[in-house]
Amino acid sequence: MGNRISTSITNFPFCGSTEVKFIILSIPSVGVGKTTIVRSLLGEDLTPVFPTMGYTLNTLNYQSRKITIIEIGGGSKLPPIYKYFFSEVQGFIFVVDAADRTQCLISEAKNLLHFYMQIEIKVSGVTKGVGTYVHEDVERKPLLVLVNKQDVPGAMTTEEATEYLNIQSIRVPCLLLGTSVLQNPNGLCVGLDWLLNHITY
């Protein structure tokens, strides 16, 4: 099971709805492990895996709940299609490739993660800027950051990922979890349980 690092948060009560939706994103869009993670949760064969084009909807039953996971492809080049889903979901999953220590990629992942979580909004037509406010479609919704491929020699640790991604500055409930989906797919249940326990409606 992977290591866990959580920001200081309040444990919001889960209101008992039997249907929830999560959205899963990453940077880059290829080879990070989003599809493998989704397939693992669905109990499907993990190979072969092909890049996600656009988005896919995946549904599973977990702890007597129907969970829909919206997988978004495209990385930073994705058109703003994700915005159409943000108001519909109850939580977010962001996947990072722990095996790739390329500094420009880490920086891009951090920038995209914070952009997703602190969307620029306008008040009375005046742009307040990214990070000034947390948009109502994001506010108080839990964020699960999966640092995948922990089994690869030399992989980024959860402590390093926390620092590189500046997790402590994220203004929503957040858990960073080290995972190794191909080696220990059951470890994903820790993250899924955390998301379900931190949903607020």
Side-chain angles (χ1 to χ4, degrees), residues 160-178:
E160 289 175 316
T162 298
E163 178 182 354
Y164 295 157
L165 299 174
N166 196 15
I167 293 296
Q168 298 300 329
S169 70
I170 291 178
R171 297 165 60 191
V172 298
C174 180
L175 172 69
L176 184 143
L177 177 66

Side-chain angles (χ1 to χ4, degrees), residues 2 37 49 85 126 130 165 194:
I37 287 169
V49 173
F85 295 116
V126 179
V130 175
L165 299 174
W194 182 86

Side-chain angles (χ1 to χ4, degrees), residues 96-169:
V96 179
D97 186 349
D100 194 333
R101 287 178 171 271
T102 308
Q103 289 302 310
C104 63
L105 186 61
I106 294 173
S107 177
E108 188 176 5
K110 181 186 77 171
N111 292 338
L112 190 63
L113 172 61
H114 285 261
F115 175 75
Y116 283 146
M117 293 298 103
Q118 300 176 345
I119 298 175
E120 179 179 71
I121 62 174
K122 294 184 178 181
V123 178
S124 300
V126 179
T127 301
K128 294 298 183 180
V130 175
T132 305
Y133 297 96
V134 178
H135 194 277
E136 62 183 3
D137 290 342
V138 174
E139 187 177 15
R140 297 183 67 182
K141 293 181 180 180
L143 165 67
L144 173 65
V145 179
L146 295 177
V147 186
N148 195 29
K149 304 184 184 178
Q150 291 281 295
D151 57 307
V152 177
M156 197 186 327
T157 66
T158 53
E159 290 79 10
E160 289 175 316
T162 298
E163 178 182 354
Y164 295 157
L165 299 174
N166 196 15
I167 293 296
Q168 298 300 329
S169 70

Side-chain angles (χ1 to χ4, degrees), residues 29 43 80 83 126 187:
S29 59
K83 293 182 180 179
V126 179

Side-chain angles (χ1 to χ4, degrees), residues 1-66:
M1 185 176 298
N3 296 322
R4 290 181 285 172
I5 295 180
S6 177
T7 57
S8 178
I9 54 177
T10 301
N11 190 358
F12 298 113
F14 182 68
C15 297
S17 174
T18 58
E19 295 189 16
V20 295
K21 294 179 182 178
F22 300 125
I23 189 169
I24 183 168
L25 314 114
S26 73
I27 185 71
S29 59
V30 178
V32 178
K34 294 192 310 297
T35 301
T36 302
I37 287 169
V38 172
R39 285 191 177 185
S40 179
L41 290 171
L42 293 171
E44 296 180 353
D45 183 12
L46 302 184
T47 56
V49 173
F50 302 100
T52 300
M53 304 301 293
Y55 68 93
T56 62
L57 302 178
N58 308 272
T59 302
L60 66 146
N61 294 313
Y62 183 78
Q63 294 186 356
S64 301
R65 300 186 182 103
K66 178 182 177 182

